[in-house]
Amino acid sequence: MSEAVLAVEAPGVSAPGASGARQFWRRLRTQRAALVAAVIVALLVLVALAAPLLTAIEGQDPTTYHPSLVDSARGGVPIGSFGGASAEHWLGVEPQTGRDLFARLVYGARVSLGVALAATVVQVAIGVLVGVAAALGSRWVDQVLSRFTDVIVAMPLMIMALALLAIVPSSFPRPVLVALVIGLIAWGNIAKIVRAQTLTLKGLDYVAAARLSGWGTWRIARRELLPGIAAPVITYAALLVPSNITVEAALSFLGVGVKPPTPSWGQMLTAADVWYQAAPQYLLLPAGALFVTVLALTVLGDGVRTALDPRAASRLRIGTGRKREAKA
């Protein structure tokens, strides 16, 4: 019965399907900045996945020390110009240790992107579950879950993460731990968004028709409500990824994130703060990688938000125009 009602869409609510995906792609294509950002993100993901192949082509790995490539008399400064860059070490070597900088940079991309994506998945899973349960549960359940969500939102993420990461044994895999800590602390906002959207959808005709047809609460949630909340969830998740990359880098910079010898961009920045004059590339390369990654993901997330909700104007005007937005 509810499938028939779905044929008539409620205002402002798009039913999922192939036509919706085509409309989303058509709107996204009008935003050149978002497309460029998508290409950059795809290249970064490709580099992260192909890190073993790229380092094998170079003939290096991220953990092998090369003490002969640093000048111990000068405190471990790389020998040669541009931080010891050569045919064997494309971006030079790390001060003091002589580890290959290119290998550590591409393997660091795996850690930074992997931790951010895993944390986002945990946040979305918990946030959707709690938000839908609060909206569909009884008044008592809604009150308890909503107040608990308020407590989670009020928690200072960095302080709680620092405390949890400091007490967990070092034997636990650090990238997995960082992803879990970020995901388990920072799901409150997405739960609030899901709860509000679910409460709005509950009053629509096609949900009422499903209820009258005898469907159970969780079947209605799975078949009728989850597709309706997909757009805001995808939008918020796209904007969470760059935020999580920044948090992971900050935790590694503070010394409680990913531990050596596992490479991480934040960890590289921690060790580079005393080498910015003697070996500036050791600071500029991971900082530049972080900047480009976060910027590209932010622009892409904003483009996804605008494509999913054509009534909302993009916050980033680069590559967009009024005529293009009007067409979308």
Side-chain angles (χ1 to χ4, degrees), residues 129-141:
L129 180 62
V130 173
V132 171
L136 297 182
S138 63
R139 183 176 180 181
W140 182 83
V141 171

Side-chain angles (χ1 to χ4, degrees), residues 59-72:
Q60 304 296 333
D61 65 78
T63 58
T64 301
Y65 284 49
H66 300 93
S68 61
L69 299 179
V70 296
D71 188 352
S72 57

Side-chain angles (χ1 to χ4, degrees), residues 105-122:
L105 199 66
V106 295
Y107 270 93
R110 300 186 103 191
V111 173
S112 296
L113 290 173
V115 168
L117 291 173
T120 302
V121 170
V122 174

Side-chain angles (χ1 to χ4, degrees), residues 241-298:
V241 177
S243 174
N244 289 338
I245 287 180
T246 306
V247 172
E248 183 277 325
L251 292 173
S252 296
F253 181 80
L254 293 172
V256 294
V258 178
K259 300 289 186 180
T262 304
S264 165
W265 290 344
Q267 180 198 109
M268 292 172 71
L269 288 173
T270 304
D273 60 350
V274 297
W275 296 100
Y276 64 92
Q277 290 183 331
Q281 83 288 344
Y282 188 38
L283 174 66
L284 294 177
L285 287 173
L290 269 173
F291 174 77
V292 170
T293 303
V294 172
L295 179 62
L297 285 168
T298 302

Side-chain angles (χ1 to χ4, degrees), residues 81-323:
S81 57
F82 302 105
S86 64
E88 292 78 23
H89 302 277
W90 296 346
L91 297 178
V93 297
E94 189 179 62
Q96 288 189 312
T97 65
R99 291 181 295 194
D100 186 77
L101 199 52
F102 173 79
R104 294 189 65 77
L105 199 66
V106 295
Y107 270 93
R110 300 186 103 191
V111 173
S112 296
L113 290 173
V115 168
L117 291 173
T120 302
V121 170
V122 174
Q123 288 170 286
V124 169
I126 298 176
V128 169
L129 180 62
V130 173
V132 171
L136 297 182
S138 63
R139 183 176 180 181
W140 182 83
V141 171
D142 185 20
Q143 287 293 321
V144 171
L145 291 178
S146 296
R147 298 296 76 76
F148 180 61
T149 302
D150 291 338
V151 172
I152 294 295
V153 172
M155 283 184 178
L157 172 59
M158 291 301 297
I159 294 176
M160 293 299 300
L162 285 170
L164 291 174
L165 291 170
I167 63 176
V168 176
S170 58
S171 58
F172 196 94
R174 213 63 181 182
V176 177
L177 177 60
V178 173
L180 287 175
V181 167
I182 296 174
L184 292 173
I185 295 175
W187 53 264
N189 286 326
I190 196 167
K192 284 179 168 291
I193 293 171
V194 169
R195 175 183 175 275
Q197 187 72 9
T198 304
L199 288 174
T200 301
L201 295 177
K202 276 177 62 177
L204 299 181
D205 291 341
Y206 69 89
V207 177
R211 190 179 296 111
L212 290 174
S213 66
W215 285 16
T217 300
W218 291 109
R219 187 181 182 187
I220 293 175
R222 186 179 71 254
R223 296 288 299 274
E224 309 291 0
L225 298 178
L226 288 181
I229 65 176
V233 168
I234 293 172
T235 299
Y236 194 74
L239 296 173
L240 274 177
V241 177
S243 174
N244 289 338
I245 287 180
T246 306
V247 172
E248 183 277 325
L251 292 173
S252 296
F253 181 80
L254 293 172
V256 294
V258 178
K259 300 289 186 180
T262 304
S264 165
W265 290 344
Q267 180 198 109
M268 292 172 71
L269 288 173
T270 304
D273 60 350
V274 297
W275 296 100
Y276 64 92
Q277 290 183 331
Q281 83 288 344
Y282 188 38
L283 174 66
L284 294 177
L285 287 173
L290 269 173
F291 174 77
V292 170
T293 303
V294 172
L295 179 62
L297 285 168
T298 302
V299 174
L300 178 59
D302 188 77
V304 169
R305 181 184 68 87
T306 306
L308 288 172
D309 185 6
R311 297 168 298 176
S314 175
R315 296 172 300 169
L316 304 173
R317 292 294 180 180
I318 305 172
T320 60
R322 294 183 182 276
K323 292 183 179 179

